[in-house]
Amino acid sequence: QVQLVESGGGLVQPGGSLRLSCAASGGTFSSYAMGWFRQAPGKEREFVATISGSAMTTSYARFVQGRFTISRDNAKSTVYLQMNGLKSEDTAVYYCAADTENTNVQIATTDYDAWGQGTQVTVSS
């Protein structure tokens, strides 16, 4: 069973940067796709970014393109989300997720079968 633990959230001013990390344990990390999602208060969980098991393919939500970068280090079983140019509307709980049955990028929440506990990102002056 795959377990995921996020870290790196916090309070940042508009225009600032944060890097989220998600450490995985269990399973063969390099064989499955990873994704980042977020959920703001009163809103549904939404897709942010995904990366294939080999790290050769990535995909982003339109609202983060050019600002966020997803990456992974398979030797460390860790996926990252570098967030630059943060805006107040990026405030949310950010979750990492694993699709342990597929190595290709996935954008639907229903594609993922393992989730972390979430880390809060607050963008405010």
Side-chain angles (χ1 to χ4, degrees), residues 2-10 20-25 34-39 45 79 92-98 113-121:
V2 174
Q3 293 186 325
L4 305 173
V5 179
E6 301 100 334
S7 61
L20 306 183
S21 300
C22 173
S25 60
M34 296 294 297
W36 285 97
F37 293 78
R38 70 186 188 185
Q39 188 167 18
R45 191 170 298 188
V79 64
V93 177
Y94 283 71
Y95 299 89
C96 72
D113 53 284
W115 292 83
Q117 82 288 352
T119 185
Q120 176 71 46
V121 172

Side-chain angles (χ1 to χ4, degrees), residues 4 7 16 31 39 43 50-52 59 64 91 103 106 109 124:
L4 305 173
S7 61
S31 70
Q39 188 167 18
K43 295 187 177 181
T50 179
I51 187 167
S52 63
S59 182
V64 302
T91 295
T103 190
Q106 305 289 342
T109 57
S124 175

Side-chain angles (χ1 to χ4, degrees), residues 45-68:
R45 191 170 298 188
E46 63 181 355
F47 165 74
V48 175
T50 179
I51 187 167
S52 63
S54 67
M56 293 293 289
T57 305
T58 59
S59 182
Y60 296 90
R62 186 172 301 177
F63 55 78
V64 302
Q65 284 184 351
R67 298 190 298 128
F68 292 9

